[in-house]
Every structure is written in structure tokens, then in C-alpha cells.
Amino acid sequence: MKKRKILFLGESYRADAITWMNGLKEFGDFEIIGWELKTPNNSIYNRILRILEFKLAYFKIRKIIRQQQPDMVIAERTTSYGFLAALSGIKPAVIAQQGKTDLWPEDSILLPLKKIIQNYAFKRATLIHAWGPVMIESMTKANVNMDKVLVLPKGIDLEKFKNKNTANPEKICAIVTRSLSPEYRHEIILKAFAILHQKNIDFSLTVVGDGIRLHFLKQLAQNLQIETKVIFTGKIPNTALPALLQESNFYISMPVTEGVSASLFEAMASNCYPIVTDIPGNQSWITHRKNGQLIAIDDFEILAEELIWSFKKSTHRNEAISNNRKFIEDNADYKINMKIIADKYHELINASKN
């Protein structure tokens, strides 16, 4: 039988995209053809070039379609690659909403245009992925046909992220695994740990990853006099992450916005107690002082207080991490969820051929 081809529009280097594509290859036996914008989005000048590249993208994608004859197209982000997928003319077309709304930043002058683009993508899509329930509210407001929405996270590989935690129980061993970008508010985390340092509470803090704030954050750690207790790993291979999580007993993430965080799932699977911002994307998975802590945006003093509270409540934390592991096994198992998604794609392709 001829192997089905999928054209993937999106940033192939992102962990979420890699999980998505690898799952389709493994559980659907698909061949994946990728295309993405080449201009980095790291300066005003490059953003202008990226917009120009986006305008020419349709012609490049149509060329790929003529050459490769894909059976379907999938794309991440309803306001960019998702729009291109809808515009491509390929059916079935599957798009994924990556964030709570994908209309980001909220103060962007391009917001009205993004809404028009998103609505077009929603209407033309055969299937829309909501990786979690947080995305449903914005889709409902946009009058999306909910019959074509699949609410299911891609999940994580539980064989890689095991519940064999080796962290020192007598010490706060915390880890942060989010990109070093302004919206993830790493400075709030450092300020909270500076309070712990002032209170003579022993800790280690591992900050995983790279980003435009790396130098600033290293300097801040020095200014706060906690640089000897903070480890900045820089960019690491994804294969090294499970071991770092298993050496940590707290996972901290303080973003100002959130869709569905695979990083949170990985931490929950690895028996790290989660402390995250009190925003809808996290509220879907964490209940305050039940299976983790929810912290108001940018409140480093409360973050410090809640860290201390949860560290003292070892019985509570042990119960929470046990329940969290079971939740991930039941709801976010990559092998189960990606098989469901791959089977759905085959169903859509077969229906389009009839």
C-alpha cells in the first residue's frame, strides 16, 4: 500500500512540532514533508523580512504541492501557518491552535488582521486541534464549528519521562525548562529564590535552555547573590532533559500566557511538584494546593511563600506527585494519543478520496 504523505507547515525545530511529526511517522506510517519560514523573528528588521517572506509563501507551497502531491496538510498556529494551510487548497487541512487564542501579543497593531486570518483558517480547516480545554473558549467566541474540533493533547513519551525521582528530599531542587524569553518571566523566579536565600533555605535552581534573556538573567543572579546556587545549562539535547527533571523535586514556570504546556506534563510525569502561574492554560491541569500551586503573574513574594509552604508539606507533595503521574498516564500518554490522532488523519484522507 502506498505510504500517505503529509505536508507539515510549521517550525520543525520546535519540540512540539517534533513530537507531532514523529508521532505521525511512528503510529500512522506517514511520510512528512516540511516547509517553514526561513527568516528568524528576532528583530524589527527581520520581522519585516519575515512578513515579506510570508506573502510569497503561497507560491512556494503550491510548488511543493505540485512536486510532492501530499495527501493532506497540517499546520501549527491558526494565525500564520494555519492560514497558509487553509489557503493551499489541499483537503483535508488540519490546523492546530497553539496558544490560548493564538492572537498574540494582545496589544499588536496587527490584531484585527490576525482575527480575519484566523477566522478564514477556522472556516476552511477540515479538523482543528485544541491541545487542551483552555483553547475551547476562544474558539467558541469565534463561532468555530465545534464538530470539527479535536480536544486532545499530543502527550509525552512516558518511557522517557519516568517517575524515578532521585532529588534530595531535604532540599529544594527546582528546575525551569522554558525558553529564556521575556514572556516566561524568569526574573520573577530568580527574585523569589533570592528571598529563600535571605531566609537561609537551602536550594539549587536549574534553568534549562537558551534565549535572548540569558545574559540578563545571569547578571541578575549575580546581583541577587545567588549565582552559586543557580545553574544555567544553556541549550541541551532533548535526550538530556528527563535526567535533569528526575534530579529535581520542584518544577517552576511563570509565563504570562499559556496554551498547553508539554513542559508541565513532562515535569508531572517525572514527579516534580509544579508551581505555575495562575492563568487558564495552567488552571486546566493544576488546582491550587491540591496537585500544585498557582501563583499570580509577576508576584515573586507569593512565589517564595508558596515554595516554602509546599516544601514543608512533604506528605502533601508526595500525594500530589503520585496523583499527577497517574493523571498523565491516563490523559497524556503519547503512544495512546498520537495513535488516536494518526488514525483520525487516515480516516480524513480516506473520506476525501471517496
Side-chain angles (χ1 to χ4, degrees):
M1 184 177 176
K2 181 184 175 183
K3 184 176 284 194
R4 300 296 196 182
K5 289 183 181 181
I6 292 179
L7 173 59
F8 172 76
L9 304 180
E11 290 151 1
S12 59
Y13 61 87
R14 295 177 62 254
D16 278 353
I18 292 168
T19 299
W20 195 2
M21 290 188 288
N22 285 349
L24 294 175
K25 292 175 187 175
E26 183 177 357
F27 300 108
D29 196 30
F30 287 108
E31 178 184 343
I32 309 295
I33 306 151
W35 184 88
E36 60 194 281
L37 296 167
K38 302 297 187 292
T39 309
N41 191 22
N42 58 1
S43 69
I44 294 175
Y45 176 71
N46 277 347
R47 288 188 193 113
I48 294 171
L49 292 179
R50 192 175 172 90
I51 290 171
L52 293 174
E53 186 183 4
F54 185 83
K55 288 182 176 180
L56 297 173
Y58 171 80
F59 302 101
K60 295 180 180 179
I61 292 168
R62 288 303 304 172
K63 183 178 180 181
I64 293 171
I65 292 169
R66 287 194 301 272
Q67 292 173 341
Q68 299 290 339
Q69 297 292 308
D71 295 286
M72 70 179 295
V73 60
I74 65 175
E76 58 181 10
R77 294 201 198 96
T78 56
T79 54
S80 56
Y81 292 107
F83 172 70
L84 292 174
L87 204 62
S88 71
I90 301 177
K91 289 289 184 179
V94 176
I95 63 173
Q97 184 167 304
Q98 294 296 112
K100 179 186 172 185
T101 68
D102 276 359
L103 299 172
W104 180 262
E106 293 177 351
D107 59 352
S108 171
I109 60 172
L110 296 176
L111 204 61
L113 176 60
K114 287 184 178 182
K115 287 182 179 180
I116 293 170
I117 287 173
Q118 185 182 62
N119 286 334
Y120 180 86
F122 281 149
K123 288 176 182 176
R124 294 294 297 271
T126 311
L127 177 74
I128 303 166
H129 279 298
W131 301 125
V134 68
M135 298 158 180
I136 296 302
E137 182 181 351
S138 65
M139 290 184 185
T140 303
K141 288 180 179 178
N143 296 316
V144 171
N145 178 2
M146 300 308 291
D147 290 338
K148 61 181 183 181
V149 176
L150 176 62
V151 186
L152 186 72
K154 292 184 289 293
I156 62 166
D157 190 341
L158 295 176
E159 291 184 4
K160 293 179 181 177
F161 297 93
K162 300 178 181 179
N163 58 342
K164 296 179 179 179
N165 196 283
T166 60
N168 181 357
E170 304 302 318
K171 176 181 177 180
I172 294 176
C173 303
I175 190 168
V176 188
T177 62
R178 311 307 297 270
S179 171
L180 306 189
S181 303
E183 61 267 27
Y184 290 112
R185 297 295 201 268
H186 290 76
E187 67 272 19
I188 298 302
I189 298 170
L190 293 178
K191 289 177 182 178
F193 276 91
I195 293 175
L196 268 60
H197 179 64
Q198 292 165 9
K199 294 178 179 289
N200 294 316
I201 296 172
D202 194 17
F203 71 85
S204 65
L205 174 62
T206 301
V207 180
V208 177
D210 200 358
I212 60 174
R213 305 271 281 178
L214 179 58
H215 177 74
F216 165 79
L217 293 169
K218 284 184 174 181
Q219 188 61 55
L220 180 60
Q222 289 184 1
N223 295 343
L224 295 171
Q225 299 181 341
I226 57 173
E227 71 275 12
T228 60
K229 295 187 175 184
V230 181
I231 301 167
F232 290 93
T233 68
K235 187 176 181 179
I236 63 168
N238 208 40
T239 53
L241 182 58
L244 290 176
L245 285 167
Q246 287 162 22
E247 294 167 2
S248 308
N249 49 22
F250 284 86
Y251 165 82
I252 304 175
S253 179
M254 293 285 116
V256 296
T257 185
E258 190 72 276
V260 174
S261 172
S263 298
L264 174 58
F265 289 166
E266 291 163 356
M268 292 169 73
S270 305
N271 286 0
C272 296
Y273 185 79
I275 301 182
V276 295
T277 34
D278 189 6
I279 53 179
N282 291 325
Q283 293 161 2
S284 299
W285 319 109
I286 302 299
T287 301
H288 186 57
R289 290 194 174 184
K290 184 175 181 182
N291 70 325
Q293 317 287 99
L294 293 171
I295 311 298
I297 292 173
D298 289 344
D299 197 332
F300 64 89
E301 292 177 335
I302 293 296
L303 173 57
E305 289 177 15
E306 292 297 325
L307 263 166
I308 295 168
W309 182 90
S310 53
F311 180 59
K312 291 179 178 178
K313 304 283 185 179
S314 58
T315 302
H316 160 77
R317 281 190 292 112
N318 289 335
E319 182 179 351
I321 61 176
S322 177
N323 291 338
N324 284 346
R325 173 70 190 192
K326 186 172 189 312
F327 175 85
I328 296 299
E329 290 174 352
D330 292 343
N331 297 279
D333 186 334
Y334 163 81
K335 291 186 174 180
I336 295 173
N337 292 10
M338 282 306 307
K339 181 66 166 62
I340 293 171
I341 292 169
D343 287 349
K344 182 65 176 178
Y345 289 6
H346 277 294
E347 179 187 320
L348 294 175
I349 291 172
N350 291 336
S352 72
K353 302 295 183 183
N354 296 333

